[in-house]
Amino acid sequence: VQLQASGGGLVQAGGSLRLSCAASGTFVAINAMGWYRQAPGKERELVAAITRGGTKNYADSVEGRFTISRVDAKNTVYLQMKSLEPEDTAVYYCNSNIRVRWGRDPRDYWGQGTLVTVSS
């Protein structure tokens, strides 16, 4: 199983970006999917997550500005980011809880990270 993230880049404060993360490989089910970020000198933190049933949760710092969504037919999770602030600068990692076969416990997989830089 591999997660391939894309969509990062450099944007001015107030701008927007959309991150994508596609899961590939052999598996039978994808449970929760989410995005984390890690800024320089800080610990990795949850940004947003979405369950298989569509329930979403967000970090307080991004509530109202970021929107997480998923398209199960494409095994893909998205993060639409608006009104970006310099404090959003970080490496963003996608995460998915995936069951590779029935009878085995699902586990978390991580993407390679994509850098988002917001200039002031």
Side-chain angles (χ1 to χ4, degrees):
V1 176
Q2 290 188 330
L3 299 182
Q4 182 66 46
S6 61
L10 173 64
V11 64
Q12 289 189 332
S16 299
L17 281 175
R18 189 177 84 151
L19 306 183
S20 302
C21 178
S24 61
T26 302
F27 47 86
V28 296
I30 301 178
N31 299 316
M33 307 180 83
W35 290 93
Y36 290 71
R37 68 185 180 187
Q38 187 166 18
K42 295 188 177 181
E43 294 188 352
R44 190 174 298 189
E45 62 175 357
L46 174 68
V47 176
I50 182 169
T51 68
R52 194 173 179 181
T55 300
K56 305 174 186 180
N57 69 286
Y58 298 94
D60 289 344
S61 59
V62 308
E63 183 82 54
R65 299 188 297 122
F66 291 10
T67 302
I68 191 169
S69 61
R70 60 190 285 172
V71 177
D72 289 337
K74 296 183 177 181
N75 299 321
T76 300
V77 61
Y78 302 95
L79 186 68
Q80 178 68 53
M81 305 184 292
K82 298 180 179 180
S83 302
L84 282 161
E85 304 168 352
E87 293 74 23
D88 295 316
T89 296
V91 177
Y92 284 70
Y93 298 91
C94 59
N95 169 279
S96 292
N97 185 261
I98 296 175
R99 186 187 301 273
V100 297
R101 67 182 65 164
W102 300 117
R104 288 189 64 176
D105 291 337
R107 75 168 186 89
D108 286 347
Y109 291 84
W110 292 88
Q112 83 282 11
T114 184
L115 177 62
V116 172
T117 303
V118 184
S119 63
S120 58

